[in-house]
Amino acid sequence: MTSTPLPDVQALTFDVFGTVVDWRSTVIREVTATLGQGKGLDADWGAFADRWRFEGYVGGIQAIRRGERPFTTADALHRAKLDELLGELGNPLDEAEAADLNRVWHRLDPWPDSVGGLRRLGTRFIVSTLSNGNLALLVNMAKHSGLPWDCFLSADLLGHFKSDPETYLSAARALTLDPAQVMMVAAHKPDLEAAGACGLRTAFVPRPREHGPSVTVDLEPDDRFDFNATDFHDLAAQLRC
């Protein structure tokens, strides 16, 4: 078998939202179908998706990390923001419809290279989520999308959200590995910076289509990371999988 760069690395842990799955396109499609076509409403569904994600989920996690609200799950953060957004539209959904729409985050579609790339990487490494999503969400998403994870590491299991150092260190301990034996794979540089500061190795895989036109993201290769790849197949090739 061909030797692998960074031979001490035994596990790859992946950010999921944005890195593995295309959350924005999936959410826009479903809210358009449910609220636009289903209820006859007219709105900027891209902006709806962005507010749901960044104000509800990302903003909620930041508040928890600052100690401003108790720890809760991604599902609960998503639902609280969805209820607010639906209120602005006149509460067009009943409880069953709102609960189903909130579960769109459980059925996000993968990027075209994700399933095949993960399979290749899994021939040499443990491949695991390391996500701020909760366990049920990640398991359902994997079943929906065919994502071939070896295991699931989630915020609710670890008791911390990224980018808390304990999240990355707890992930390594859960795998009974040293931090340097784990490589974080993400499309988001702050995630990789935090992982690297904890001693994990790092791989940057940018996803230019993750965000809408109003968001500017640094997508350039970065020498601070151990690997820079165009997609999971490119990363697998660099790692000789």
Side-chain angles (χ1 to χ4, degrees), residues 152-171:
F152 298 87
L153 296 171
S154 60
D156 56 328
L157 291 183
L158 300 175
H160 291 269
F161 284 111
K162 299 182 295 181
S163 299
D164 289 349
E166 188 62 23
T167 312
Y168 307 99
L169 297 173
S170 294

Side-chain angles (χ1 to χ4, degrees), residues 62-227:
Q62 291 171 346
I64 292 168
R65 294 183 63 227
R66 292 192 299 264
E68 297 171 1
R69 60 187 297 177
F71 190 91
T72 190
T73 65
D75 274 339
L77 293 173
H78 283 141
R79 181 57 194 269
K81 187 62 183 181
L82 176 61
D83 287 346
E84 178 186 330
L85 293 169
L86 292 175
E88 294 174 9
L89 295 173
N91 294 311
L93 303 182
D94 62 26
E95 172 55 30
E97 291 170 327
D100 182 67
L101 183 57
N102 199 56
R103 286 192 294 272
V104 64
W105 301 96
H106 292 225
R107 47 183 184 259
L108 301 178
D109 294 337
W111 296 112
D113 60 282
S114 290
V115 173
L118 287 172
R119 287 198 182 113
R120 286 181 64 183
L121 292 163
T123 64
R124 282 189 177 270
F125 304 97
I126 296 166
V127 290
S128 174
T129 67
L130 182 50
S131 173
N132 285 337
N134 47 287
L135 179 61
L137 181 157
L138 295 170
V139 171
N140 291 337
M141 184 193 299
K143 295 289 285 184
H144 169 79
S145 298
L147 297 166
W149 300 118
D150 293 315
C151 64
F152 298 87
L153 296 171
S154 60
D156 56 328
L157 291 183
L158 300 175
H160 291 269
F161 284 111
K162 299 182 295 181
S163 299
D164 289 349
E166 188 62 23
T167 312
Y168 307 99
L169 297 173
S170 294
R173 285 197 297 270
L175 296 169
T176 64
L177 297 173
D178 294 328
Q181 294 177 295
V182 179
M183 183 155 69
M184 186 73 204
V185 183
H188 313 120
K189 291 188 177 183
D191 197 355
L192 297 176
E193 292 163 3
C198 293
L200 279 68
R201 311 311 290 257
T202 52
F204 179 51
V205 183
R207 297 298 192 183
R209 292 178 46 236
E210 177 187 0
H211 300 291
S214 63
V215 178
T216 301
V217 180
D218 180 4
L219 300 172
E220 293 301 314
D222 196 317
D223 290 340
R224 293 175 298 167
F225 307 134
D226 295 292
F227 293 91

